[in-house]
């Protein structure tokens, strides 16, 4: 029977590429989104991948949504915690709301997504947790105190989960993408984008599919010994 994968924020951008790559690799995939019904419907029409709407920042919604996915597709074997937002501002202008929204979505959202599936993974003796962090969680970034804090937090989450899940056949790993050509990045003014590309030795933005292939690699049954690690996919922009 095919393994079941859940991809949060799996209807757009990097998440959409991850959902498609997992489907191609033979997984039964459920993709979630927050509110963009139109994009989600278009994604399902294009790919046949079912989409589910809930806010990853809300524990009860996440638990209920995950129960629905499991009722539809079966127990979840692979969780890709990908949903994320930015609310950028220099620290002296950052509002408590900007701080909290990013913490709720990017950090608490990972807890809310993994916590409901964890007991089942422990019982069945198999699980793959993959968290999409960021280069800016590794190096920090001007205007992103909130975002960098959550993405650095992701690395702490996977290193701890890796130790807790290891004896139960569960791995937890992070991927730190550099700048990837999604709506998030294409929305910044062209001049700013050019200055970003100038800092990437590869000389271009990454493609969502280049992150998706890291996910497929980590999700595999025979990736069992890769646990608690971080894959940097950033075109040589930054080394840890
Ligand atoms: N793009 C980059 O260069 C880059 C670099 C490093 C790391 N990342 C990380 O990669 C991940 C994906 O980024 P992206 O650029 O692909 O983003 P994106 O194109 O903006 O897509 C974000 C996805 O997350 C969903 N989402 C947002 N808030 C949510 C919430 N509260 N509950 C449930 N779903 C929510 C969105 O749903 P709707 O469609 O309903 O809005 C959408 O499906 C993020 O964690 C981001 O931080 C991105």
């Amino acid at each position: 029977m095919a393994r079941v994968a859940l991809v949060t924020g799996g209807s757009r951008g990097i998440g959409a590429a991850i959902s498609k790559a997992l489907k191609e690799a033979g997984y039964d995939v459920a993709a979630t989104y927050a509110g963009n019904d139109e994009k989600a419907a278009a994604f399902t029409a294009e790919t046949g991948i079912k989409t589910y709407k809930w806010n990853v920042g809300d524990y009860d919604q996440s638990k209920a949504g995950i129960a629905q996915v499991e009722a539809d597709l079966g127990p979840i074997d692979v969780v890709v915690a990908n949903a994320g937002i930015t609310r950028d501002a220099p620290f002296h202008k950052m509002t408590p709301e900007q701080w909290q929204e990013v913490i709720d979505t990017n950090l608490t959202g990972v807890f809310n997504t993994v916590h409901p599936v964890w007991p089942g993974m422990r019982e069945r003796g198999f699980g793959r947790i993959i968290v999409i962090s960021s280069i800016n969680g590794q190096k920090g970034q001007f205007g992103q105190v909130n975002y960098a804090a959550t993405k650095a937090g992701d690395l702490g989450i996977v290193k701890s989960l890796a130790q807790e899940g290891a004896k139960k056949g569960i791995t937890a790993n992070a991927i730190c993408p550099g700048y990837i050509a999604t709506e998030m990045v294409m929305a910044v003014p062209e001049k700013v984008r050019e200055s970003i590309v100038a800092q990437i030795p590869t000389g271009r933005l990454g493609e969502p599919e280049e992150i998706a292939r890291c996910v497929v690699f980590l999700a595999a049954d025979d990736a069992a010994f890769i646990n608690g690690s971080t894959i940097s996919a950033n075109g040589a922009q930054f080394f840890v």
Side-chain angles (χ1 to χ4, degrees), residues 34-80:
N36 194 331
D37 296 320
E38 208 177 306
K39 277 274 161 70
F43 175 77
T44 299
E46 179 204 334
T47 62
I49 295 171
K50 206 163 173 212
T51 49
Y52 297 80
K53 177 158 75 166
W54 72 76
N55 173 11
V56 296
D58 183 303
Y59 187 81
D60 291 339
Q61 278 186 37
S62 298
K63 200 171 170 197
I66 284 165
Q68 186 59 54
V69 170
E70 295 203 316
D72 292 348
L73 301 183
I76 293 168
D77 301 299
V78 177
V79 167
V80 186

Side-chain angles (χ1 to χ4, degrees), residues 11-12 14 34-36 54-56 82 133 147 151 178 180 182 185:
S11 63
R12 281 204 291 127
I14 293 172
N36 194 331
W54 72 76
N55 173 11
V56 296
N82 164 77
S133 174
Y147 183 83
K151 295 299 180 179
I180 308 299
T182 66
V185 168

Side-chain angles (χ1 to χ4, degrees), residues 214-240:
C214 304
V215 172
V216 173
F217 170 70
L218 291 171
D221 281 31
D222 60 5
F225 206 59
I226 305 162
N227 199 2
S229 73
T230 301
I231 297 183
S232 298
N234 63 31
Q237 188 181 352
F238 182 76
F239 305 114
V240 180

Side-chain angles (χ1 to χ4, degrees), residues 7-18 31-40 52-58 61-62 81-87 101 104-106 109 113 131-137 144 147 150-151 154 175-186 205-206 208 211 233:
V7 184
T8 65
S11 63
R12 281 204 291 127
I14 293 172
I18 293 170
T32 83
Y33 69 105
N36 194 331
D37 296 320
E38 208 177 306
K39 277 274 161 70
Y52 297 80
K53 177 158 75 166
W54 72 76
N55 173 11
V56 296
D58 183 303
Q61 278 186 37
S62 298
N82 164 77
I85 58 168
T86 52
R87 296 288 181 270
E101 242 186 288
D104 288 348
T105 305
N106 297 11
T113 303
V131 182
I132 308 302
S133 174
S134 169
I135 185 175
N136 292 343
Q144 289 197 325
Y147 183 83
T150 62
K151 295 299 180 179
D154 286 342
I175 298 167
C176 286
Y179 286 86
I180 308 299
T182 66
E183 283 172 43
M184 200 188 243
V185 168
M186 298 316 274
L205 297 172
I211 305 307

